[in-house]
Structures are given as C-alpha cells and as structure tokens.
C-alpha cells in the first residue's frame, strides 16, 4: 500500500535510527552512537513499524533481528541517506567562500574573449579567487602545465591525454583562408590549399598551435608553402595579409580590423574564404595535471573552475563562437 504524504513525513526523521539499528542489531548501541536515550530509539522503532504497517525488527535475546520486510527496505533507506549526504556536502562545500589562486596558461588567441568569458562566469560565483595568467605559444603553455607552473592550459590543438595530463574538448571552430580583399580568391565561395601553392604565406612561428595545424594542411596538399613572414600574433598576420604581403590560414576573425574596407583604410583589408579540407578546423580544449590525494590533491578553487569550464564552458562560449564564425 502506498504511504501517504503525512505518513512519509512521520517516517523520514526515523530513517537514520532504522539505518543504524540495521547495522548494529542492538538498541543500546544504536542509542549511544546516535547520542539519544534508549527509550527514544525504542519509540522510533515502534512508530516506524506502525507507519510501514509491519514489524521491522524483532527482539532476539539481548539484541534485535531484522524482519524480512526490514531487510527488503533497508537498502533503500541507506541509499536515500547517502544521496542526501552527498547533496548536503555539495551544498555546504559550494556555499563556502572559495579563495586561492588559479594559474592558467593560454594561447594568444584566447585572451580576447574566450578566457575572459570563463573567468567572468567563475568570478560571479567566487569573487574571492584570483587568477595568475600566462600567455604564449601552445608548446610553452603545455610546458608550464607539465612543470607545475600552471594548473590549467587552454590550447588548440587539445593536449594529448596521458598518465599525468588530463584533457577535454570545449569547442571546435573552422580554419579559413585569409587573403587580401583584391586577391583573385577573395570572391570565391571556397578554396583549396592547392590554390595558394604559388602565393607567399604568412605563418605563425614554430611552437604555436596554428603552425602545427597549417603544416598538416600543407602536408595533406602535398607541398610546402613559400613562407614570406613568421609572426607570434594572429593580429599581425592579418595586418600583413591586409597589406597584400601574402595569404594565411587562421580561425575566424570576427570583426577584427581590416574586415571592413573604407576610404579611411586605404587599400588595407582582408577576406576570409572557407577551405575545402577535412583538416580545416581547430579544436580548443582544456588540459590539467592529474593529481593524487593528500598534499598533491587538486586545490578546491582549481577543481571548481575546471569543472565549471568543462560542464558549462561550451554553452557559455556558444554565442561567441557563432558571432566569430558568422562575422
């Protein structure tokens, strides 16, 4: 028979007593463990039996013995109590003031909007935390992570997971061919890597994530580009392309300077052309050091930020990704 709401309300406060009785099989020991009089435990047992409608424990010498009904019910009581404890621990932990510092290494292209959006969302919940930020090439970011100078690294491509490094994808964005606005490919709906075989190429330097991605694209196409310039910054790459000094391959630039050509910009300007290649994308991800327990355990503020980025990051960044790709 279903237990009515009123009966359930009467039974819930008795669950810890029933759980402990099921474990100890002894009224006196249960009373001592719970810090209550023995008579209170006995009355709780009687009330519970009355609500359930059947005996739950019977006396067996100086102790008690579970009835078949109690044996069937006890696993559900323990499961309910464990779920409640887990929720209570979570609420108590999350509601505490989270302090401390979080060290994040990140590539240059994520400093304009991606990382600030994530930090802003975290700061609204935990304003007492502080961030130590280190900006650089992908290889440098991952080296800082491996050496322990950074707690987390935001990179593209994603760091390969290993015994000491964990990683996960956050989002993916296309790579585009970037050409001067008067380039013959500027009005094409799409282009192939082979179409720029004879063009000077403006590349990112070695050690940068974009360099490894463009190198893979050229290997797939079967030739090496004629590199005219190497840069450490994607804004500089776009500027050089805007001046007609070569072509490049970059993630979407959104409304970066040079997209719109006006009388005030002279002949400077760039155009993005979709690339017809299955490799023309980059996947952005978060990497972290796998920690042990004890003094090497992950700090609470780092864990909370990492969990927020992994669970909520794709949703938080969806609008930014869409605006950049459609810009």
């Amino acid at each position: 028979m279903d237990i009515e709401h009123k009966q359930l309300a009467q039974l819930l406060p008795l669950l810890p007593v029933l759980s402990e009785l099921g474990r100890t099989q002894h009224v006196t020991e249960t009373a001592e463990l719970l810090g209550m009089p023995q008579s209170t435990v006995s009355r709780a047992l009687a009330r519970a039996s009355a609500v359930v409608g059947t005996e739950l424990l019977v006396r067996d010498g100086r102790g008690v013995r579970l009835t078949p009904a109690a044996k069937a019910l006890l696993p559900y009581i323990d499961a309910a109590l464990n779920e409640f404890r887990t929720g209570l621990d979570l609420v108590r932990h999350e509601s505490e003031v989270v302090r401390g510092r979080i060290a994040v290494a990140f590539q240059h292209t994520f400093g304009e909007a991606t990382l600030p959006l994530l930090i802003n969302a975290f700061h609204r919940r935990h304003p007492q935390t502080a961030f130590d930020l280190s900006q650089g090439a992908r290889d440098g970011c991952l080296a800082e992570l491996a050496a322990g100078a950074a707690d987390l690294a935001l990179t593209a491509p994603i760091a390969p997971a290993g015994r000491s490094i964990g990683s996960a994808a956050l989002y993916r964005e296309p790579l585009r061919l970037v050409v001067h606005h008067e380039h013959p490919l500027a009005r094409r709906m799409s282009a192939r890597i082979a179409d720029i075989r004879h063009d000077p190429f403006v590349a990112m330097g070695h050690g940068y994530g974009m360099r490894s991605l463009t190198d893979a694209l050229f290997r797939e196409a079967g030739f090496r580009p004629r590199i005219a310039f190497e840069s450490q910054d994607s804004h500089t790459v776009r500027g050089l392309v805007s001046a007609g000094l070569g072509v490049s391959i970059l993630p979407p630039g959104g409304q970066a300077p040079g997209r719109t050509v006006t009388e005030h910009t002279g002949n400077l300007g760039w155009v993005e052309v979709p690339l017809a290649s299955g490799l023309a994308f980059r996947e952005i991800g978060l990497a972290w050091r796998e920690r042990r327990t004890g003094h090497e355990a992950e700090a609470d503020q780092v864990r909370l930020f990492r969990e927020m980025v992994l669970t909520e990051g794709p949703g938080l960044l969806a609008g930014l990704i869409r605006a950049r790709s459609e810009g």
Side-chain angles (χ1 to χ4, degrees):
M1 182 175 65
D2 292 339
I3 298 178
E4 298 295 336
H5 178 77
K6 182 177 180 181
Q7 293 174 309
L8 188 60
Q10 293 173 333
L11 185 60
L12 288 178
L14 309 177
L15 296 185
V17 178
L18 294 175
S19 177
E20 198 63 46
L21 271 170
R23 189 183 66 83
T24 65
Q25 304 275 305
H26 200 283
V27 173
T28 302
E29 184 178 349
T30 296
E32 291 175 353
L33 289 171
L34 295 178
M36 58 178 59
Q38 183 175 332
S39 58
T40 301
V41 173
S42 298
R43 285 196 299 270
L45 175 59
R47 287 199 303 271
S49 296
V51 172
V52 174
T54 185
E55 290 295 332
L56 297 176
L57 290 97
V58 294
R59 295 194 175 278
D60 185 8
R62 301 182 65 182
V64 292
R65 174 170 48 84
L66 295 176
T67 66
K71 290 179 180 179
L73 188 59
L74 197 59
Y76 295 96
I77 293 175
D78 290 338
L81 291 173
N82 287 334
E83 285 292 319
F84 180 72
R85 290 189 190 100
T86 300
L88 189 60
D89 288 344
L90 178 65
V91 169
R92 284 174 172 170
H93 185 77
E94 297 287 357
S95 64
E96 293 174 354
V97 176
V98 178
R99 295 185 174 88
R101 309 188 73 84
I102 305 170
V104 182
F106 63 100
Q107 290 174 219
H108 292 83
T109 49
F110 305 132
E112 185 175 5
T114 301
L115 185 58
L117 273 172
L118 297 173
I119 290 176
N120 181 259
F122 190 74
H123 257 163
R124 288 200 299 269
R125 305 175 194 181
H126 307 292
Q128 299 300 317
T129 54
F131 283 82
D132 296 324
L133 304 178
S134 175
Q135 188 179 44
R138 176 181 182 272
D139 286 3
C141 292
L142 296 181
E144 288 189 31
L145 181 67
D151 299 308
L152 304 161
L154 189 63
T155 66
I158 303 171
R163 292 181 61 184
S164 59
I165 298 294
S167 64
L170 296 179
Y171 64 95
R172 176 184 288 195
E173 62 183 359
L175 299 182
R176 304 261 176 81
L177 176 64
V178 185
V179 300
H180 187 266
H181 69 97
E182 292 181 345
H183 191 280
L185 297 173
R187 287 178 171 77
R188 291 268 293 271
M189 297 299 294
S190 68
R192 299 172 299 125
I193 300 297
D195 294 331
I196 59 171
R197 179 184 294 270
H198 302 296
D199 287 87
F201 189 75
V202 184
M204 294 294 292
H206 288 285
Y208 286 82
M210 276 306 305
R211 181 58 178 264
S212 65
L213 294 171
T214 54
D215 284 351
L217 284 166
F218 286 117
R219 281 196 301 271
E220 181 193 43
F223 70 95
R224 292 183 178 180
R226 181 161 59 90
I227 295 179
F229 302 96
E230 288 186 344
S231 176
Q232 298 178 343
D233 180 81
S234 61
H235 295 295
T236 301
V237 171
R238 289 185 189 277
L240 296 176
V241 172
S242 291
L245 300 178
V247 302
S248 191
I249 297 173
L250 292 170
Q255 296 301 320
R259 175 178 284 279
T260 303
V261 179
T262 69
E263 59 180 343
H264 303 295
T265 60
N267 200 36
L268 297 177
W270 51 265
V271 173
E272 291 179 351
V273 183
L275 278 168
S277 170
L279 298 181
F281 69 90
R282 71 170 181 171
E283 201 159 33
I284 293 86
L286 188 73
W288 59 91
R289 282 177 292 130
E290 297 286 9
R291 305 294 190 98
R292 300 183 180 89
T293 57
H295 71 281
E296 294 184 349
E298 188 175 44
D300 284 346
Q301 69 274 14
V302 175
R303 177 185 60 80
L304 290 171
F305 182 66
R306 176 175 58 81
E307 291 174 351
M308 187 210 75
V309 171
L310 296 181
T311 58
E312 303 175 37
L316 291 170
L317 298 168
L320 168 67
I321 301 162
R322 186 166 53 251
R324 281 168 53 87
S325 299
E326 297 174 355

